[in-house]
Amino acid sequence: MPENEPSAWEYTLYIPNDLRAVTVARRTLRLILTLHNLIRLTDTAELLAAELVSNAVRHTKGPAALRVRWSAGVLRIGAWDANPEPPEPPGELDLLREAEEGRGLALVKACADLWGWQPLARHGNRGKYVWCELAAA
């Protein structure tokens, strides 16, 4: 690992079901990445986090959380929400250019190196976790 390469870390930000939480999540993510010398990933990471958190807040009724993890040169951004239903599969971004809704996961798919989702039932929390990854290179 290069000398200036940050070691592994993880943050979780629990958020209420409130659209203002998207801005809080974006700003918190920007601060985290800046403090860990990963500013080069900030713009794309903010876009991805905003889409994931927005989906978690808009399409569910319960609380949500943003999880950000750095390990082995990969940034993983994920959003947990209380709804166990799978997310709608992303459409083709080119076909959604003029659409009012439905571009979120298409943007995630287009901008991330990898993305996915998984159902969760841990520590009494039920729901799903939608995530994406950005490699530092």
Side-chain angles (χ1 to χ4, degrees):
M1 177 180 299
E3 200 171 299
N4 61 353
E5 184 76 17
S7 58
W9 48 260
E10 182 174 315
Y11 293 86
T12 302
L13 174 67
Y14 292 94
I15 55 178
N17 190 281
D18 184 328
L19 281 175
R20 294 173 289 194
V22 176
T23 300
V24 172
R26 288 179 63 202
R27 290 182 179 169
T28 302
L29 177 62
R30 178 172 286 275
L31 180 60
I32 291 167
L33 295 178
T34 299
L35 292 173
H36 283 284
N37 296 317
L38 293 169
I39 194 80
R40 66 193 178 278
L41 299 177
T42 302
D43 291 337
T44 304
E46 266 191 288
L47 170 70
L48 296 171
E51 294 301 336
L52 295 177
V53 171
S54 176
N55 283 348
V57 172
R58 286 175 160 216
H59 302 297
T60 67
K61 293 183 187 246
L66 171 69
R67 183 179 297 156
V68 183
R69 184 180 76 197
W70 173 261
S71 180
V74 175
L75 181 68
R76 178 175 274 206
I77 303 163
W80 166 80
D81 66 55
N83 183 354
E85 294 298 314
E88 290 290 323
E92 290 301 317
L93 195 54
D94 289 340
L95 302 175
L96 296 169
R97 271 188 214 281
E98 304 299 321
E100 293 284 326
E101 293 182 351
R103 290 186 305 230
L105 282 180
L107 280 170
V108 170
K109 180 181 171 184
C111 295
D113 294 318
L114 192 61
W115 82 277
W117 79 278
Q118 60 199 59
L120 290 181
R122 184 173 104 178
H123 306 298
N125 294 326
R126 301 189 62 79
K128 69 178 164 299
Y129 181 64
V130 183
W131 56 268
C132 62
E133 292 183 347
L134 288 174

